[in-house]
Amino acid sequence: MERNTGHLSASFKDFLLRGQQALDSEKYYPALSAFTLAKKVLDEMAKKGIKVDEKDAKNLEKLISKAEKKMEDEGKKKAGTPKQSLLSRLRTQKPAQAGKTLPPQKKLSLFIFGLDRAGKTTLVDYLQQEKYFDHTPTLGINVSRIVLGRISLEFNDLGGQQAFRSAWMTYWKDPDVLVFVVDASDVARLIEARDALWSILNRPEAKGKPLLLLSNKVDLPEARRLEAIKAALGIETVMGRICSVHEVSIKTNFNMDAVPTFLAGLVLQDEEMNEYVNDEVARLAKNLNEIYTAYIEEAKVLEKSGEARKAYERVYKAKLIQEELLDHGYAGTASKKIEKCKEWMDRLLP
């Protein structure tokens, strides 16, 4: 049975409707996520050469902007009571009360690489002290350890100058996670950054290792947007590993909670993640998982009744939801569910 692309249009309309309903109900975070999923579908349609209605695309961009603006306005209203950052919360967690034992600590080793002046050492300093420090380029390797809540992190921070790149694998200690930092404003060296990234990803030792890619310095006016960075680095061709990509500014603290959230998601179950994400993200994850479960149950019924194409559509939407959860840091469980969805889709329409 040949695959067709009819499910894409249906999926787009479904996510667009969910987003509009959430927006009308003043649930701006779920609205933005639904619109993001709709955009992913439109992007896939464009890649497959399917004609996309220009009105739909423009309308979606307006809805995304509206949801973002509403979220921003809502944040300003709550600005009177500053929200404690995730890093601060994790550092100041109280020890277990008498008679209670702490859950076992999870350990992660990180292999941090990228070109010189991308912000690798600055990243480690920020996670340690939640402060920005300007650095001269690292010579060789810096090794450091920090504890964030129940997670103990060991960083191998490697010098990014060309003279040191050939020695990167000398410091390879079978890490749990690869962290690549790229300077989004250093447009002239994006090809060089791509080569540095793939010099590690293509190594047999790095096969299957999760990748956290941080597009740093997005506060600078010359910084490229995330889609341009992903295209320049060839991120769309990364296969066979968890891959999470985020825009950040270590200097201005923009989106820095994405780092500990992603790392926590690699080792914790969904129900354990609440202490590592803000309340809004936790509510969003709960909502998305409920929708995911509904799609999966519908797919099971449709498959049983022989309606493979309709079942395929439900599983496809379930997969997109888990991809959205992956972007929000639910790395471990989401990645497993994404793979299961892919296998199911292959079975439904081989």
Side-chain angles (χ1 to χ4, degrees):
M1 192 185 299
E2 291 185 7
R3 293 185 183 185
N4 65 14
T5 54
H7 68 282
L8 294 172
S9 178
S11 298
F12 169 74
K13 291 175 182 176
D14 189 13
F15 287 128
L16 187 65
L17 177 60
R18 286 184 182 277
Q20 288 174 326
Q21 289 172 339
L23 196 61
D24 292 342
S25 302
E26 299 183 351
K27 297 176 180 177
Y28 305 125
Y29 217 131
L32 183 58
S33 281
F35 293 145
T36 301
L37 291 168
K39 189 174 187 310
K40 285 181 179 178
V41 178
L42 278 191
D43 290 344
E44 187 167 341
M45 291 170 71
K47 285 177 184 176
K48 291 181 181 293
I50 302 168
K51 188 175 181 181
V52 174
D53 191 316
E54 195 172 329
K55 287 183 180 178
D56 285 343
K58 286 183 178 178
N59 180 46
L60 181 58
E61 291 298 333
K62 287 179 182 177
L63 289 169
I64 289 172
S65 296
K66 185 177 180 179
E68 289 175 336
K69 179 70 165 56
K70 291 289 186 181
M71 283 175 60
E72 185 181 335
D73 292 344
E74 198 173 61
K76 286 178 182 176
K77 288 179 184 177
K78 297 176 181 177
T81 53
K83 190 185 292 184
Q84 191 180 25
S85 74
L86 173 56
L87 288 171
S88 297
R89 283 201 342 251
L90 295 176
R91 280 199 202 88
T92 57
Q93 277 183 341
K94 295 178 181 178
Q97 297 175 353
K100 291 185 179 180
T101 56
L102 283 169
Q105 195 177 73
K106 310 282 187 177
K107 295 183 180 180
L108 280 177
S109 61
L110 282 65
F111 187 86
I112 305 180
F113 65 115
L115 301 187
D116 52 294
R117 301 189 181 278
K120 302 181 297 299
T121 305
T122 309
L123 168 66
V124 176
D125 280 344
Y126 185 89
L127 292 175
Q128 287 178 315
Q129 303 178 55
E130 205 168 351
K131 290 181 181 178
Y132 170 77
F133 296 96
D134 200 4
H135 280 278
T136 56
T138 299
L139 302 177
I141 181 172
N142 287 331
V143 178
S144 53
R145 295 174 181 82
I146 63 173
V147 176
L148 296 177
R150 288 173 47 207
I151 301 177
S152 173
L153 303 175
E154 178 182 286
F155 297 88
N156 288 331
D157 165 24
L158 308 174
Q161 299 95 319
Q162 191 168 19
F164 292 113
R165 288 175 219 162
S166 60
W168 275 349
M169 292 306 293
T170 305
Y171 305 104
W172 184 268
K173 297 179 181 177
D174 196 25
D176 299 304
V177 189
L178 308 179
V179 180
F180 186 80
V181 186
V182 60
D183 181 347
S185 70
D186 194 356
V187 179
R189 293 209 295 168
L190 284 177
I191 293 176
E192 191 179 347
R194 181 195 64 197
D195 293 342
L197 171 64
W198 286 94
S199 73
I200 297 298
L201 294 188
N202 285 332
R203 301 279 305 196
E205 302 95 320
K207 184 178 180 181
K209 300 285 183 183
L211 172 66
L212 173 62
L213 192 146
L214 301 176
S215 180
N216 187 28
K217 305 187 185 182
V218 297
D219 55 299
L220 299 179
E222 62 270 29
R224 291 290 181 92
R225 296 303 301 268
L226 189 60
E227 288 306 312
I229 295 294
K230 288 165 70 174
L233 299 181
I235 297 304
E236 296 300 328
T237 61
V238 172
M239 305 290 287
R241 72 178 78 236
I242 297 170
C243 180
S244 189
V245 185
H246 299 276
E247 287 184 315
V248 299
S249 170
I250 302 169
K251 187 174 184 177
T252 65
N253 186 29
F254 171 71
N255 201 30
M256 289 304 294
D257 277 358
V259 179
T261 299
F262 173 78
L263 297 175
L266 291 172
V267 292
L268 302 179
Q269 296 299 312
D270 284 359
E271 61 272 12
E272 299 177 292
M273 279 287 289
N274 287 347
E275 66 184 281
Y276 288 88
V277 297
N278 64 43
D279 294 339
E280 192 63 48
V281 173
R283 285 194 294 270
L284 172 69
K286 185 175 182 295
N287 177 263
L288 287 177
N289 270 316
E290 286 172 355
I291 299 170
Y292 166 84
T293 301
Y295 282 144
I296 291 297
E297 292 305 315
E298 283 182 34
K300 288 177 182 176
V301 173
L302 289 165
E303 183 182 24
K304 212 168 187 178
S305 61
E307 297 185 76
R309 292 196 183 279
K310 289 184 178 179
Y312 183 96
E313 176 196 326
R314 303 306 194 276
V315 179
Y316 169 77
K317 288 189 279 191
K319 178 178 76 73
L320 284 186
I321 285 173
Q322 291 303 323
E323 289 174 355
E324 178 72 359
L325 285 168
L326 177 62
D327 288 342
H328 284 288
Y330 289 78
T333 50
S335 60
K336 291 173 185 174
K337 288 176 181 176
I338 290 168
E339 289 307 312
K340 286 183 179 178
C341 285
K342 288 178 179 177
E343 290 170 7
W344 194 353
M345 290 165 68
D346 288 338
R347 189 175 72 246
L348 284 167
L349 297 180

